[in-house]
Amino acid sequence: MNDIDPLAAMSDQVDADGVTRDSQVDGPHERGAGRDPVSPEIEAFLEELHHGLPRGYGIDMDDKVILDAEGYSVCGLMRVISFPRRPDGSGYAVEVEFLARDGRLHRATVSQGDLTRGSFLADLVDHGLASYMAAPHVARYLMAWDGRRYGWRADQAGWFRSPEDGMSFVRADGAVHYADRTTAERVVLVGPRAKGGQAAGSLQGWQEEVAAQAVGNPALIFAISTALAGPLLRIAGIETVGVNLFGPSATGKSLLLRLAISAAGDPASLIPWSAAETGLHRQSTEAQDGLLALDALPRDPGAKLLKALLALGDDGGAGRVDASRDPDGSRRFRRIVLSTSELPVSALLQRKKKSSPAALALRMIDIPATQGRHGLLDDLHEHSDSLTFARALEAAMRRRHGHLLPAFLDHLVADLGQVTTDLREALRTLAPRIATELPPSFEDPASAGPTLHLIAERFALIGYAGEMATAFGLLPWPAGTARSAARHMARLARHPAQTRDTGVTPLLRSLRSYLDRNADRIIDLEADRTAGMRDDTLGWRDEDHVYLRSDQARDLDDDPHAFLETLSDCGALKPGGEARSRQYKLPATKVASRPRVYRFDRRMIEAEGK
């Protein structure tokens, strides 16, 4: 910076234009003026504001406001960066940067059409802009800027092709990865997601403390790979790839989702399925060519949530649509969906008296979360139990996150042509191999649902994404680790026609173990027809059923309500026919006092114990 203070020097120019001031304008780093030093970013902002300020406007640095020609305050310090537009010539917007009330810089993009309606100002004020005049005056100030460079407007995250046929990748927070930043015209995302908390720690720290803990755990390796597969969807010609992990609580399902999110951002940003009732369209827009993680799909979804779920089968987005971004409502989405639930998607639909559409079965593949030695986990890396391991991994993710995907994208855009060639060749090789790993039900041409090849191709894509990152030096795994994990998960996939295994197997085994531990407290009715009830009696059994006292149900599981509901759904628990009750009243011919019990199918319980 030269010795002449640019903002102080500007006072002569502005006075010549007839602009009055409430106070003298100071330079961005005026010496001896008693001002606090400013950051390099704010100093650069003030420099740009000075050089581009429209004729007829001035700056009051004491109050940090823009002044009009009569010396009235218009708004806080704000400049125009560019005028982006869509490649088809529509959608002109204004990209602005302003100093918020808390002293931080904030960027926003406003459609020029909104400048005529005035609603734009409320959003800027909501993000910290000080405003002293009505919206038309602020709009007039913005449109007075000239000599600004033009750019391209992106309405959603993901791959963006400019008219010059240049490809760039736009992240949901507005960050853009250019193949050649020196020649690429600026790309601006309208309505980016807030950047707060998107990155913490370092990539190396995440590799050492998070990614390394996934070794020996195919499900965790698979989760990290899914976080990288989104940008490859367009190249592979695949739309949605969805995986739903189902099973009881405390199996590591939510941990797996947060692990996947940590590759790109803050794992605390995991959202529940309930948020998709009205917001799936917005969430899909943010997750275009990326990851959409949704936790805890209810076992009894309401109409809105059911609509959102079914929309995934059409690569669509349910809920309220922003017409300015999708004027004909026909937008389709490309995204990786990771979901969790207690029951398989097909079983949830059956509960709502609906069949599983073939398109949804292809795009939302059910995988049980109970196949590892500790739920979804196999190797606890010297931790005493799965809970201790999960807590340690959660703490590491809070400290280190948000670095893997950006680094991966830098590698992709640097040589996109070669990446495209390699990916398509790899899928031709990997998909047939993974097809051999899928359960036989996927091979039955008579069974309804997805085809073998299309399912295998999705697992191959996820496995290859992990292998690419390993080859780039971004993941601390031996070559072949991600591919092996994808094949492992493919073997666990459940065809929609496989309705028997709905995650109840471990519950039935748990019940069998509980009965075995308390066998001496269960009275055999076949041996003693006159059996009554002692103080320590847990229940009774006959040839067909086991009857457990209802007042003892709290000892069955940490969540006995969900435990009993799941066993009722699969037919293991036999209610007595009373409305809104799963209990059964024993007849006096079995127990004279006719206690209320839970009646279980003895054959199903004992079959799971073998």
Side-chain angles (χ1 to χ4, degrees):
M1 187 174 242
N2 55 34
D3 293 332
I4 299 176
D5 218 340
L7 291 185
M10 187 185 73
S11 61
D12 293 336
Q13 169 200 336
V14 178
D15 284 339
D17 290 335
V19 178
T20 60
R21 284 180 178 74
D22 296 329
S23 61
Q24 178 66 35
V25 175
D26 298 313
H29 59 110
E30 183 100 5
R31 296 179 180 86
R35 297 187 183 282
D36 295 332
V38 297
S39 68
E41 292 79 9
I42 292 180
E43 186 164 327
F45 162 76
L46 295 174
E47 290 277 4
E48 292 287 342
L49 178 61
H50 156 62
H51 289 299
L53 192 72
R55 181 174 295 274
Y57 289 90
I59 304 172
D60 181 339
M61 281 300 296
D62 283 332
D63 293 332
K64 296 183 175 59
V65 297
I66 300 296
L67 306 171
D68 67 7
E70 297 179 358
Y72 291 106
S73 298
V74 179
C75 62
L77 301 183
M78 178 167 58
R79 73 182 183 98
V80 172
I81 301 173
S82 68
F83 292 106
R85 77 285 193 204
R86 297 189 183 106
D88 64 2
S90 68
Y92 273 81
V94 183
E95 182 190 12
V96 300
E97 183 178 40
F98 59 87
L99 192 65
R101 289 180 179 272
D102 63 1
R104 291 184 293 183
L105 290 174
H106 184 84
R107 289 191 178 187
T109 305
V110 180
S111 294
Q112 290 192 23
D114 288 341
L115 294 180
T116 65
R117 292 187 284 272
S119 58
F120 77 94
L121 185 57
D123 186 60
L124 295 181
V125 170
D126 185 58
H127 285 85
L129 175 70
S131 177
Y132 306 99
M133 286 189 173
H137 297 277
V138 179
R140 187 179 301 117
Y141 165 67
L142 294 179
M143 294 309 297
W145 283 70
D146 57 12
R148 298 292 90 191
R149 56 179 174 172
Y150 286 86
W152 298 117
R153 167 179 173 164
D155 290 310
Q156 64 185 16
W159 290 107
F160 181 87
R161 184 185 296 277
S162 71
E164 293 80 14
D165 204 34
M167 291 292 290
S168 56
F169 193 95
V170 184
R171 299 209 315 263
D173 63 2
V176 183
H177 297 259
Y178 299 92
D180 185 351
R181 188 65 187 90
T182 60
T183 61
E185 193 165 355
R186 182 177 177 82
V187 177
V188 180
L189 177 64
V190 175
R193 183 175 59 200
K195 294 184 179 181
Q198 288 303 299
S202 64
L203 175 59
Q204 181 178 352
W206 182 88
Q207 292 168 335
E208 294 173 351
E209 296 186 28
V210 178
Q213 301 302 303
V215 175
N217 293 292
L220 302 188
I221 292 168
F222 185 78
I224 293 173
S225 298
T226 60
L228 303 174
L232 304 181
L233 291 170
R234 176 177 177 143
I235 303 171
I238 300 174
E239 300 293 340
T240 293
V241 174
V243 173
N244 180 62
L245 296 152
F246 69 91
S249 58
T251 54
K253 303 190 301 294
S254 298
L255 173 70
L256 186 142
L257 266 58
R258 283 191 284 270
L259 177 61
I261 292 173
S262 76
D266 188 348
S269 63
L270 175 62
I271 59 176
W273 259 100
S274 57
E277 286 191 352
T278 58
L280 184 59
H281 191 278
R282 174 183 58 79
Q283 292 151 4
S284 289
T285 299
E286 291 183 351
Q288 182 77 339
D289 292 318
L291 173 69
L292 176 60
L294 297 168
D295 197 22
L297 177 61
R299 59 193 304 117
D300 189 23
K304 290 183 178 179
L305 199 55
L306 192 63
K307 178 183 178 183
L309 174 62
L310 293 173
L312 294 177
D314 298 323
D315 295 322
R320 189 172 298 140
V321 176
D322 183 347
S324 67
R325 299 188 181 192
D326 188 19
D328 59 2
S330 62
R331 174 180 293 158
R332 297 174 71 82
F333 293 100
R334 296 183 303 270
R335 71 283 219 220
I336 302 290
V337 180
L338 270 183
S339 166
T340 68
S341 63
E342 288 185 14
L343 300 176
V345 169
S346 53
L348 289 170
L349 292 173
Q350 287 177 5
R351 287 169 58 88
K352 307 300 288 186
K353 311 301 181 185
K354 294 182 179 293
S355 60
S356 182
L360 179 61
L362 172 63
R363 293 172 174 85
M364 187 58 75
I365 304 164
D366 283 315
I367 296 179
T370 54
Q371 300 301 314
R373 287 193 290 271
H374 310 278
L376 281 167
L377 304 175
D378 287 293
D379 188 340
L380 301 183
H381 290 265
E382 300 183 355
H383 288 278
S384 59
D385 52 56
S386 58
L387 179 60
T388 304
F389 173 82
R391 287 176 174 172
L393 188 58
E394 295 270 15
M397 287 190 287
R398 287 194 295 271
R399 294 191 302 267
R400 326 267 190 219
H401 59 255
H403 299 281
L404 177 63
L405 180 64
F408 184 71
L409 289 169
D410 284 340
H411 283 277
L412 287 190
V413 299
D415 195 3
L416 190 57
Q418 189 61 50
V419 166
T420 301
T421 300
D422 293 345
L423 171 62
R424 292 174 179 172
E425 179 60 33
L427 291 183
R428 281 193 290 268
T429 303
L430 292 175
R433 295 177 183 173
I434 289 183
T436 64
E437 306 284 350
L438 288 167
S441 55
F442 284 101
E443 302 182 60
D444 182 4
S447 66
T451 66
L452 184 70
H453 171 73
L454 295 177
I455 291 290
E457 192 175 49
R458 282 158 163 77
F459 282 99
L461 180 75
I462 293 172
Y464 185 71
E467 291 301 320
M468 285 182 67
T470 301
F472 292 153
L474 302 178
L475 288 172
W477 304 336
T481 299
R483 184 170 58 248
S484 176
R487 294 176 69 175
H488 173 84
M489 298 299 280
R491 287 194 292 270
L492 304 178
R494 291 292 180 265
H495 191 280
Q498 293 175 282
T499 57
R500 181 178 182 276
D501 185 359
T502 59
V504 300
T505 297
L507 299 189
L508 287 171
R509 288 175 179 167
S510 176
L511 178 58
R512 170 63 183 263
S513 177
Y514 177 78
L515 296 176
D516 287 345
R517 292 195 308 270
N518 294 279
D520 58 340
R521 298 173 58 197
I522 299 175
I523 298 173
D524 190 340
L525 294 174
E526 297 295 329
D528 186 358
R529 288 288 182 180
T530 62
M533 182 170 65
R534 304 186 304 267
D535 290 341
D536 66 340
T537 297
L538 181 66
W540 301 262
R541 62 172 174 263
D542 57 23
E543 183 178 357
D544 299 318
H545 300 100
V546 174
Y547 310 94
L548 295 184
R549 288 171 52 179
S550 58
D551 58 353
Q552 299 294 322
R554 63 182 180 275
D555 297 328
L556 287 172
D557 189 75
D558 292 337
D559 187 353
H561 176 76
F563 185 91
L564 294 169
E565 186 174 10
T566 301
L567 294 182
S568 177
D569 289 340
C570 75
L573 173 61
K574 307 291 186 181
E578 297 179 6
R580 297 184 298 277
S581 175
R582 295 188 179 87
Q583 296 180 17
Y584 171 78
K585 194 168 185 178
L586 272 171
T589 54
K590 290 185 180 292
V591 178
S593 60
R594 301 199 65 194
R596 302 185 69 82
V597 297
Y598 290 107
R599 178 175 56 169
F600 297 96
D601 187 312
R602 186 171 176 178
R603 292 182 180 84
M604 288 187 67
I605 297 171
E606 293 178 353
E608 292 300 342
K610 295 178 181 178

